[in-house]
Amino acid sequence: MNAENEFKAIEKNATGELVLENSRFKTRVRASAQTEIIMENAFGQRVVGRAVKADGKQTTIHLLKGNFHGGIERVSVQGREESTCAENGRDEFILRLLRRESYLQGEETSRQGQRFINLLWFPMYEPIRISRPQHTPPRDAAFMDLNDSQRQVAAAMISITEPLVIAHGPPGTGKTTTITAAVNYWKQQSQPVWIIAQSNVGVKNIARSLAKKHFTDFKLIVSKEFYVEWHEDLYNQVEDNLIRSDDLGRVGDPTETERMLGGSRIILCTLSMLSNPVLDDTGVYKLVPVERLVVDEASQISTSEYLHLFHKFQKIEKVCFFGDPKQREYMAPTATGLCVEYSYFFAVPPYGREAAPLMQSIFDVKHLKPAAYFLNTQCMLQSFT
């Protein structure tokens, strides 16, 4: 990897180390023993260092080569950054498989876990139903407010006969409304639910959407790295629901963990956070077992990221995937009576496909395509002059 960083300033501290102030979270310099930080001035003179600490917007860099005299105009990172928790979990599990320390089929993997592994990768052992079963939605106010396609998907989510639900949900189709209806039903049944997305922003958007629908009985677990000094303002509307993972790790007491969760059975976090060892160590999974998993932004996630999760979570019963595998560019609205129809002119490749062209999301699994659901674009009222 060779990536350029956007920064505001670099200064030397009292101990002789450099302190870099990052401008953007996305291009921040992360602490890593596997990378070198290349800093150049206007004359091409370089100093090389290693990022040893990152706290908020500041990264501390230990000098390895060259003398620092200021005037740095360009900073780049060379090498491979530390893997995410999700990547570590996946790689460690694959390594155990190669060493024959773990097995996809056997007593070590629960019947539920095996079922999802078979549904994705070994359909000959667990054929998916081509014809969808008809589900009767409950007489619940949240379900009554849904349109037909939303009601069909929400009913499938809460059914006990359809373990795997895949729903195409482009913008404007009421994806969050659908998820909220199912989650609210599970809440009434005191059934635990985990809602995850690939990105912190994606998880935050779900949380804020739930709050706007007056559904607030959930906890959102976020990393200190993403939150402190960078995105604290994004969580103003859901601050009471927020738990920082470093707070969990600092306490390390299951009783205190239970207090922090406040009895909530609905947890929101990123895919990477779901693989974070701190959730195991602090007893979060014992208090809120991963039995129902709702995955948003699923078109951005490789199917390989789920393998260790299906093996790890022995009680998993239901997995629901939502995403937009064919993100489309908006063209223009056209008024048709009271509805506004939106036209689109070309499809944009799924996020991440440019960097990894062979990446396969859940929407690319050929034998699962016939069983997928499609949320319909909602009719939007708008006045025209």
Side-chain angles (χ1 to χ4, degrees):
M1 181 192 77
N2 188 347
E4 290 201 15
N5 168 266
E6 298 175 55
F7 66 98
K8 292 182 180 179
I10 302 178
E11 298 179 353
K12 184 178 287 188
N13 64 16
T15 62
E17 293 178 316
L18 304 184
V19 179
L20 179 147
E21 186 174 357
N22 297 279
S23 295
R24 295 181 62 205
F25 179 80
K26 188 175 181 180
T27 61
R28 73 197 185 284
V29 174
R30 298 166 56 190
S32 174
Q34 302 177 166
T35 60
E36 289 188 345
I37 315 304
I38 313 299
M39 295 159 280
E40 295 184 13
N41 63 18
F43 304 102
Q45 297 171 325
R46 292 185 170 189
V47 290
V48 180
R50 174 156 293 129
V52 294
K53 180 183 177 182
D55 190 5
K57 294 185 177 183
Q58 294 187 336
T59 302
T60 303
I61 300 172
H62 177 72
L63 272 175
L64 299 175
K65 302 175 186 176
N67 297 310
F68 176 77
H69 300 292
I72 298 298
E73 295 190 356
R74 181 174 179 267
V75 174
S76 60
V77 180
Q78 292 185 351
R80 182 179 178 181
E81 292 186 330
E82 304 292 339
S83 301
T84 65
C85 292
E87 291 168 340
N88 283 333
R90 176 200 63 198
D91 294 347
E92 288 171 8
F93 179 61
I94 291 174
L95 183 60
R96 290 201 303 270
L97 289 177
L98 294 174
R99 290 175 173 171
R100 297 187 179 182
E101 296 171 357
S102 292
Y103 299 89
L104 292 178
Q105 306 289 334
E107 294 181 1
E108 186 186 58
T109 304
S110 69
R111 172 64 187 128
Q112 292 96 321
Q114 283 186 9
R115 186 177 195 183
F116 289 105
I117 289 172
N118 290 341
L119 282 169
L120 263 70
W121 293 283
F122 304 105
M124 68 288 293
Y125 298 127
E126 195 88 39
I128 190 88
R129 294 183 181 181
I130 302 294
S131 59
R132 300 194 201 98
Q134 292 297 315
H135 304 295
T136 302
R139 293 184 176 275
D140 184 279
F143 276 74
M144 298 303 171
D145 292 337
L146 303 178
N147 65 31
D148 289 342
S149 68
Q150 295 166 349
R151 194 176 299 112
Q152 186 181 38
V153 172
M157 292 175 71
I158 66 171
S159 72
I160 61 173
T161 58
E162 198 168 354
L164 187 70
V165 176
I166 301 171
H168 294 245
T173 56
K175 175 184 62 179
T176 306
T177 302
T178 305
I179 293 173
T180 304
V183 171
N184 190 59
Y185 175 86
W186 284 323
K187 174 182 175 291
Q188 293 174 16
Q189 306 299 316
S190 298
Q191 296 174 328
V193 186
W194 286 74
I195 306 174
I196 67 170
Q198 173 76 342
S199 67
N200 282 285
V201 172
V203 176
K204 178 267 300 179
N205 289 340
I206 297 171
R208 291 174 67 171
S209 296
L210 290 174
K212 286 180 181 178
K213 297 181 185 300
H214 308 291
F215 187 97
T216 57
D217 187 13
F218 64 86
K219 293 298 180 184
L220 168 58
I221 303 177
V222 66
S223 68
K224 173 186 175 183
E225 182 182 24
F226 182 80
Y227 180 77
V228 174
E229 292 188 12
W230 286 107
H231 302 105
E232 295 176 43
D233 59 313
L234 297 181
Y235 296 92
N236 290 338
Q237 297 177 12
V238 292
E239 191 172 355
D240 293 339
N241 306 82
L242 199 69
I243 298 176
R244 273 176 33 187
S245 59
D246 60 307
D247 288 337
L248 279 172
R250 183 164 48 249
V251 173
D253 178 6
T255 302
E256 182 62 18
T257 298
E258 187 172 6
R259 186 197 66 78
M260 293 174 73
L261 291 175
S264 178
R265 305 281 282 170
I266 295 98
I267 308 294
L268 278 63
C269 68
T270 62
L271 173 68
S272 182
M273 183 61 69
L274 190 64
S275 303
N276 193 322
V278 74
L279 301 190
D280 258 326
D281 298 341
T282 55
V284 173
Y285 297 133
K286 291 182 180 178
L287 294 166
V288 188
V290 182
E291 296 178 6
R292 287 154 204 83
L293 182 64
V294 178
V295 183
D296 195 15
E297 298 182 335
S299 62
Q300 303 179 18
I301 302 173
S302 170
T303 53
S304 63
E305 304 287 349
Y306 306 120
L307 188 59
H308 71 286
L309 298 179
F310 294 151
H311 183 268
K312 173 183 176 67
F313 298 118
Q314 301 285 307
K315 296 182 178 181
I316 194 163
E317 299 174 3
K318 170 78 72 170
V319 183
C320 306
F321 296 97
F322 286 82
D324 182 13
K326 294 183 179 179
Q327 300 172 23
R328 298 180 180 274
E329 288 293 324
Y330 162 77
M331 187 175 178
T334 304
T336 306
L338 294 178
C339 291
V340 180
E341 296 180 355
Y342 288 83
S343 303
Y344 302 91
F345 58 96
F346 67 88
V348 181
Y351 175 86
R353 189 64 58 84
E354 299 88 346
L358 298 180
M359 186 191 89
Q360 186 180 51
S361 79
I362 193 72
F363 298 99
D364 299 313
V365 180
K366 187 175 180 179
H367 66 270
L368 296 179
K369 290 183 178 182
Y373 291 85
F374 291 83
L375 292 171
N376 297 329
T377 304
Q378 298 181 64
C379 176
M380 302 179 189
L381 298 179
Q382 181 173 327
S383 60
F384 292 87
T385 57

